[in-house]
Amino acid sequence: MKISGSEIFVECLRKENVEILFGYPGGVVIPLFDKLYDAHDIHFVLTRHEQAAAHAADGYARATGKTGVCLATSGPGATNLVTGIANAYMDSIPMVAFTGQVPMSLIGTDAFQEADITGITRPITKHNFLISDTSKIASTISQAFYIASTGRPGPVVVDLPKDVSTGVIDFEWPEVPPVPKGYKIPKYADTACIGEAAEAIRVSKKPLIYAGGGIIISGAEKELLVFAERINAPVTTTLMGLGGFPASHPYWVGMPGMHGTYTANMAFTECDLVIAVGARFDDRVTGKIEGFAPNAKIIHIDMDPAAIAKNVEVDIAVVGDARAILGQLLEVVEPRGRNGWNDYIEKMKKTHQPTYDRDSGILKPQYVVEQIYEVTKGEAIITTEVGQNQMFASLYYKFDKPRRFISSGGLGTMGYGFPAAIGAQLGKPDAVVFDIAGDGSIQMNIQELATAVEQKLPVNIAILNNQYLGMVRQWQELFYNKRYSGTCIECQPDFVKLAEAYGAHGIRVDKPEDVRAAIEKAISIDGPVILDFHVDREENVWPMVAPGAPISDTMEGLLS
Ligand SMILES: Cc1ncc(C[n+]2csc(CCOP(=O)(O)OP(=O)(O)O)c2C)c(N)n1
């Protein structure tokens, strides 16, 4: 039976088990929306901005491990997705972004709402497609989902011209995705490589495991735990890797880098072997490259051969899936006994915990995060915006399990956390979800309150309201002589009234003694809540490594 391209689109979503689709309509995608109208098994979520649709799809993907899907119209709808696509690309998030396109005959004529979205997104997608023929819709969509979710995951854009979605043909679903030639998914590494890595571990006196988001993507947290205990090595996890190794485990030394812990940074500085698993040596981790792990051999395990040795020189490259490789290593690696290195690291960890002034009587952002941790018993899904709020969340909420910390790592996108929280809450309806936000970042996608209210989502937004673009202000304080140029945002909406205007709840908190009750109340409310915490305006994030400095120069703030 012949059906239209738009019907094929909906059928393909069904074949790919898409249960939720975030998006925003427009002229050229009306045929798709018309078919979605009757597709009651696919939950369409109308966001109030396309950027938020992409972030919500991304948050859904991170919380569930499934592929996030979003849909926008051509031109401005498509370009509004760009930040969300770039964000997913930088953090290797599986996503398929559908965009409408002007009819084939008008492409290249500067037609109304035409934008070359495949051209625009080429550097920020794993792959992208412009479908030129209705007969290619099914095979292309099948391929798009396959590419987005396999190997090193990433966003794939599928651009659908209007005449392609209105064309009519026989629907045929390819049972096996037509994979492009040369597309390889490395899983296991060759045994010689594994043997070399095992030998380096055997002779190491001071090993350090450096685990990134790859652990979470490949579901390798159990293997990582067994491996770390087998070789008795301290473990540092990147921002993207938080929850990939239990924060409550004695071997965990915290996050490394610019706002990493003293212990993680010193462990890098003093170790003789770095075992990097699914981590990409981001410059926020390495600091000044010459001072990074100066005495260490480096084993780099990564799914993506292009990520290996991109930022640092590597001694042993192991290409493959983190979980598969750790499994291979566990078969050959000998148990390594504890030695002075372990005692040294554990002592340092005890004496160099990140801390702040707990006796000031002033409401501190760190205290707010600690209380969210206490009240939710570490079980919440935490999304963050970008800035100090993100660092306070990563330093003061302890993550024992993966897919609980959802944050824009690579791109550092303000405005990410709230739509991501919406996506996470829809993917995990039973979870308690908090977006830990700055007063600057939250205003970048605040319009999504309407989405959260409409979808009846109990998402909690904890604004650490310092009336500054705090992270930039911190740099201006420390490195620009307190010249707060462009960072003072005292002109604020009343966030409580703003919440109420959208039909949500708002609670303002000024005093430390009111924090806990406010968090408990927010959780008990069945709908979105803004918690507006008026925190110490000029509080800083410590520890900190100054930009351009080696990570051995970790400043601890209060303790230094
Ligand atoms: C879209 C975007 N624009 C600008 C920046 C640069 N930037 C990084 S942190 C920051 C300040 C964030 O302020 P706020 O959201 O109030 O959070 P705080 O640091 O105060 O917790 C800015 C402007 C960014 N990361 N993303």
Side-chain angles (χ1 to χ4, degrees):
M1 195 184 72
K2 292 198 184 310
I3 59 173
S4 72
S6 305
E7 283 169 290
I8 295 172
F9 165 78
V10 172
E11 276 312 309
C12 291
L13 295 188
R14 289 201 176 104
K15 292 280 186 196
E16 293 294 345
N17 299 315
V18 174
E19 51 192 15
I20 190 157
L21 172 66
F22 302 90
Y24 209 89
V28 297
V29 285
I30 294 176
L32 302 177
F33 276 85
D34 188 58
K35 296 303 167 205
L36 284 170
Y37 188 73
D38 298 318
H40 302 296
D41 49 338
I42 299 171
H43 181 176
F44 175 73
V45 177
L46 176 70
T47 56
R48 294 328 193 240
H49 191 298
E50 290 88 351
Q51 184 190 349
H55 290 328
D58 170 315
Y60 169 86
R62 295 190 206 215
T64 62
K66 299 176 194 167
T67 298
V69 188
C70 55
L71 165 64
T73 192
S74 64
T79 54
N80 272 352
L81 287 181
V82 166
T83 302
I85 294 170
N87 190 76
Y89 183 69
M90 292 288 276
D91 287 347
S92 308
I93 304 304
M95 179 192 288
V96 176
F98 291 100
T99 48
Q101 183 56 275
V102 300
M104 286 299 290
S105 58
L106 293 186
I107 288 180
T109 66
D110 291 343
F112 177 65
Q113 295 197 324
E114 181 188 359
D116 173 10
I117 198 63
T118 46
I120 291 169
T121 60
R122 188 154 298 131
I124 54 161
T125 45
K126 188 169 171 191
H127 203 50
N128 64 23
F129 299 92
L130 167 66
I131 306 185
S132 58
D133 194 298
T134 311
S135 66
K136 295 196 181 125
I137 295 179
S139 59
T140 306
I141 293 181
S142 147
Q143 208 176 136
F145 275 86
Y146 185 74
I147 292 172
S149 61
T150 50
R152 180 180 184 168
V156 176
V157 164
V158 179
D159 200 23
L160 261 168
K162 186 171 183 182
D163 52 339
V164 172
S165 62
T166 51
V168 174
I169 55 139
D170 282 319
F171 174 52
E172 254 179 84
W173 177 251
E175 288 312 328
V176 180
V179 184
K181 277 202 189 89
Y183 182 72
K184 288 205 188 76
I185 305 167
K187 189 161 185 188
Y188 295 101
D190 63 67
T191 44
C193 246
I194 296 289
E196 221 185 314
E199 177 58 15
I201 294 167
R202 192 183 66 79
V203 300
S204 159
K205 304 253 173 321
K206 303 175 179 179
L208 172 68
I209 297 173
Y210 159 55
I215 294 292
I216 293 170
I217 292 169
S218 73
E221 60 277 1
K222 287 197 189 78
E223 286 75 5
L224 179 64
L225 182 62
V226 178
F227 178 67
E229 289 181 345
R230 170 87 59 86
I231 66 166
N232 278 303
V235 179
T236 176
T237 49
T238 64
L239 184 86
M240 293 303 299
L242 288 177
F245 189 82
S248 56
H249 196 285
Y251 289 179
W252 190 65
V253 294
M255 185 173 80
M258 180 172 273
H259 290 295
T261 64
Y262 180 84
T263 310
N265 288 348
M266 295 317 288
F268 266 121
T269 308
E270 296 180 31
C271 69
D272 65 6
L273 178 69
V274 172
I275 308 161
V277 198
R280 61 192 177 87
F281 297 89
D282 185 276
D283 58 279
R284 280 289 193 269
V285 166
T286 60
K288 187 180 181 185
I289 213 90
E290 293 76 30
F292 178 72
N295 312 313
K297 235 184 174 178
I298 295 183
I299 302 174
H300 193 175
I301 301 168
D302 206 285
M303 164 63 78
D304 182 358
I308 290 183
K310 190 168 184 170
N311 302 326
V312 295
E313 281 183 33
V314 164
D315 299 283
I316 303 171
V318 188
V319 177
D321 172 74
R323 186 171 172 195
I325 304 285
L326 286 174
Q328 279 181 289
L329 272 173
L330 280 170
E331 277 172 23
V332 293
V333 92
E334 292 168 23
R336 187 191 145 269
R338 286 176 58 94
N339 60 7
W341 170 242
N342 299 82
D343 300 332
Y344 174 71
I345 292 286
E346 277 165 26
K347 195 167 160 210
M348 183 153 56
K349 185 177 158 184
K350 278 202 189 86
T351 48
H352 290 270
Q353 284 292 336
T355 190
Y356 63 96
D357 182 358
R358 291 167 195 275
D359 305 318
S360 65
I362 302 167
L363 181 52
K364 294 282 185 181
Q366 299 95 326
Y367 178 74
V368 172
V369 176
E370 278 179 346
Q371 288 303 304
I372 295 174
Y373 173 71
E374 295 286 327
V375 173
T376 59
K377 302 188 176 64
E379 298 282 329
I381 292 180
I382 302 292
T383 70
T384 77
E385 303 294 338
V386 169
Q388 293 183 318
N389 56 85
Q390 181 182 34
M391 293 302 124
F392 289 136
S394 57
L395 288 165
Y396 290 91
Y397 198 100
K398 306 275 176 262
F399 296 92
D400 277 347
K401 294 189 187 148
R403 303 199 180 280
R404 295 257 175 90
F405 180 70
I406 295 180
S407 191
S408 169
L411 198 63
T413 311
M414 290 171 71
Y416 168 78
F418 180 33
I422 289 176
Q425 185 80 76
L426 281 158
K428 292 276 173 192
D430 297 331
V432 173
V433 178
F434 272 84
D435 171 32
I436 296 185
D439 47 326
S441 302
I442 193 62
Q443 294 185 65
M444 287 209 175
N445 271 318
I446 192 78
Q447 76 287 342
E448 298 309 319
L449 269 173
T451 311
V453 169
E454 186 171 72
Q455 298 290 325
K456 301 188 176 58
L457 300 175
V459 170
N460 305 290
I461 305 164
I463 303 178
L464 307 178
N465 188 345
N466 52 17
Q467 296 171 55
Y468 278 118
L469 299 175
M471 184 59 99
V472 183
R473 185 213 57 76
Q474 175 169 343
W475 284 40
Q476 289 171 333
E477 176 192 330
L478 301 175
F479 312 115
Y480 292 86
N481 208 12
K482 285 202 173 192
R483 287 156 57 85
Y484 294 161
S485 177
T487 47
C488 182
I489 49 168
E490 277 167 349
C491 177
Q492 299 279 26
D494 178 331
F495 285 109
V496 172
K497 283 192 185 146
L498 185 86
E500 286 166 2
Y502 275 101
H505 289 262
I507 305 171
R508 177 177 165 139
V509 183
D510 301 282
K511 296 200 274 306
E513 56 270 30
D514 296 336
V515 170
R516 203 178 171 102
I519 295 167
E520 283 164 354
K521 174 142 194 251
I523 293 173
S524 75
I525 292 171
D526 193 19
V529 180
I530 284 190
L531 286 153
D532 184 19
F533 293 105
H534 282 247
V535 296
D536 190 354
R537 291 199 67 195
E538 293 188 78
E539 181 62 326
N540 286 335
V541 182
W542 302 108
M544 180 175 191
V545 177
I551 58 171
S552 52
D553 291 357
T554 306
M555 300 179 281
E556 291 187 90
L558 274 179
L559 296 182
S560 58

